[in-house]
Amino acid sequence: GNFTVLQGHRYSATITLGFFEAAASNDQVAQVFVGSGFQQVSVTGSGTVRQALGTWPGPNTTVALDPHVSNVTDLGSAALAA
């Protein structure tokens, strides 16, 4: 689906993987989030469900999320969280 992102905000998301994808490293899984345009991405967890954090560097916009990504939550301005 689509999600509206705000410049400089940090987001968390759930990344759900298929059976064969579950063998991927967290660095490989992070590329799903990076591919949508996020930066400073980190992924934790193992198996088919991972948690991702990332910062949106660009202007406010609506992005098409990878089908693996769900439960996107705006954590607020990254500058305030730093």
Side-chain angles (χ1 to χ4, degrees):
N2 292 334
F3 188 79
T4 300
V5 288
L6 304 175
Q7 184 173 21
H9 279 219
R10 194 117 172 102
Y11 293 88
S12 68
T14 301
I15 298 178
T16 305
L17 304 172
F19 178 76
F20 293 108
E21 296 166 318
S25 71
N26 283 339
D27 286 342
Q28 290 171 312
V29 174
Q31 294 308 307
V32 171
F33 224 41
V34 170
S36 295
F38 290 88
Q39 292 182 347
Q40 298 170 314
V41 174
S42 63
V43 174
T44 57
S46 62
T48 57
V49 179
R50 316 283 176 99
Q51 294 300 313
L53 287 172
T55 301
W56 185 255
N60 299 354
T61 189
T62 299
V63 294
L65 294 175
D66 183 281
H68 295 90
V69 178
S70 62
N71 300 327
V72 180
T73 303
D74 186 342
L75 301 176
S77 172
L80 295 175

